[in-house]
Amino acid sequence: MMDKSYIAVVEGIKEQIRSAQHRAILNANKEMIILYWNIGKVITENST
């Protein structure tokens, strides 16, 4: 049987991993939105 403090440490580490993954996804989405906006701006400026 695992010690309760060991389980708490492992759960804390797992939560840190999930949190970091979530932040990475949000940042990647933000960068993609900025990229698409910039591409649209370039297309609009050069289509007239």
Side-chain angles (χ1 to χ4, degrees):
M1 185 171 180
M2 288 194 225
D3 184 77
K4 289 182 181 182
S5 64
Y6 174 78
I7 293 171
V9 168
V10 171
E11 289 299 321
I13 292 169
K14 288 164 71 175
E15 179 56 35
Q16 287 181 31
I17 292 168
R18 282 189 293 267
S19 179
Q21 289 172 331
H22 182 72
R23 287 191 313 273
I25 290 168
L26 290 177
N27 285 325
N29 287 342
K30 174 187 165 190
E31 291 301 320
M32 292 302 293
I33 289 169
I34 291 168
L35 171 65
Y36 295 149
W37 187 87
N38 286 330
I39 291 170
K41 182 179 175 189
V42 168
I43 291 170
T44 301
E45 289 172 350
N46 292 289
S47 65
T48 55

